[in-house]
Amino acid sequence: SQTIHQWPATLVQPVGSPLSLECTVEGTSNPNLYWYRQAAGRGLQLLFYSVGIGQISSEVPQNLSASRPQDRQFILSSKKLLLSDSGFYLCAWSVRGPDTQYFGPGTRLTVL
Amino acid sequence: GIQVEQSPPDLILQEGANSTLRCNFSDSVNNLQWFHQNPWGQLINLFYIPSGTKQNGRLSATTVATERYSLLYISSSQTTDSGVYFCAVESTGGFKTIFGAGTRLFVKA
């Protein structure tokens, strides 16, 4: 069966520090991968999606970036965090083509 | 881009009651999903339903794509149904998933 992992589960970082969040998927090949952010009490906003290694599409201009160094690994990064980067970051995967998305447990990021 | 509107924004039910949640979308979509987010933040997929009707236990969903809406029915609600219910659509251009703002449900014992 397929599983999706995210780490860390929680993170507190000072403004201006770098960020690296990792997401890995097990039990499937060539998945579509997604990064979302959820602000407190609000819906999810798609940040990045990837259809293959090295193929990243950005949906929202920001100081975040994403990379896919391996087929089932998706990384969210920032060189300098802003207060507005605080939120709940969720990674998701789906099979190719329109289909349901499966979400990881998320990372709660607080930028102070 | 596509607009997704969910109603009601908040809902309080007595345990055992039934409810209907609605999702309206402004353009044609490739797919539509319903999710439940539990109090710990985990998003659980309930239905993948670009059209038609599906049922899973006490939950069922109907999407009328030609009229651009979907309904989620919860029957005999339980306290464990509490949380936020999201509708999400994928544009026909592919890959971009748009989430509604959600319906926050609280079921009282």
Side-chain angles (χ1 to χ4, degrees):
Chain A
S1 64
Q2 300 89 358
T3 55
I4 179 169
H5 304 280
Q6 285 187 247
W7 62 89
T10 59
L11 190 60
V12 180
Q13 292 285 96
V15 169
S17 63
L19 173 73
S20 181
L21 303 181
E22 188 163 345
C23 169
T24 59
V25 181
E26 296 177 355
T28 187
S29 297
N30 302 315
N32 292 332
L33 295 172
Y34 309 83
W35 277 112
Y36 291 88
R37 178 170 61 199
Q38 184 178 29
R42 304 184 68 178
L44 278 71
Q45 179 186 41
L46 179 65
L47 300 176
F48 301 95
Y49 64 86
S50 172
V51 300
I53 296 174
Q55 301 177 62
I56 310 294
S57 294
S58 173
E59 289 299 316
V60 181
Q62 62 230 322
N63 71 321
L64 300 172
S65 62
S67 62
R68 185 171 177 173
Q70 301 179 40
D71 180 47
R72 290 169 289 178
Q73 184 184 30
F74 207 20
I75 297 172
L76 183 69
S77 304
S78 174
K79 293 182 179 178
K80 290 185 178 181
L81 284 169
L82 306 173
L83 287 174
S84 58
D85 291 324
S86 294
F88 189 44
Y89 288 82
L90 290 145
C91 180
W93 74 273
S94 70
V95 298
R96 295 298 171 88
D99 204 342
T100 192
Q101 292 181 24
Y102 300 93
F103 282 80
T107 295
R108 294 196 183 277
L109 171 66
T110 302
V111 183
L112 301 175
Chain B
I2 294 179
Q3 305 297 315
V4 181
E5 296 182 354
Q6 292 187 242
S7 59
D10 298 280
L11 186 59
I12 300 175
L13 297 176
Q14 192 67 44
E15 194 171 29
N18 302 328
S19 64
T20 300
L21 282 57
R22 188 176 180 102
C23 172
N24 293 331
F25 44 97
S26 61
D27 205 347
S28 299
V29 297
N30 273 344
N31 70 46
L32 186 144
Q33 304 171 77
W34 283 98
F35 293 92
H36 174 225
Q37 188 171 36
N38 66 25
W40 297 272
Q42 180 70 51
L43 272 162
I44 305 298
N45 179 271
L46 299 176
F47 294 103
Y48 169 74
I49 186 166
S51 63
T53 297
K54 292 185 177 180
Q55 182 161 4
N56 184 3
R58 297 181 296 103
L59 302 181
S60 64
T62 295
T63 297
V64 184
T66 53
E67 298 186 20
R68 298 179 184 169
Y69 73 90
S70 183
L71 303 174
L72 178 69
Y73 306 96
I74 304 175
S75 64
S76 304
S77 59
Q78 301 176 357
T79 57
T80 52
D81 294 331
S82 297
V84 184
Y85 290 81
F86 289 104
C87 167
V89 303
E90 182 178 292
S91 65
T92 53
F95 300 116
K96 182 168 184 176
T97 303
I98 308 296
F99 276 73
T103 292
R104 188 174 300 275
L105 173 64
F106 180 67
V107 181
K108 300 186 297 183

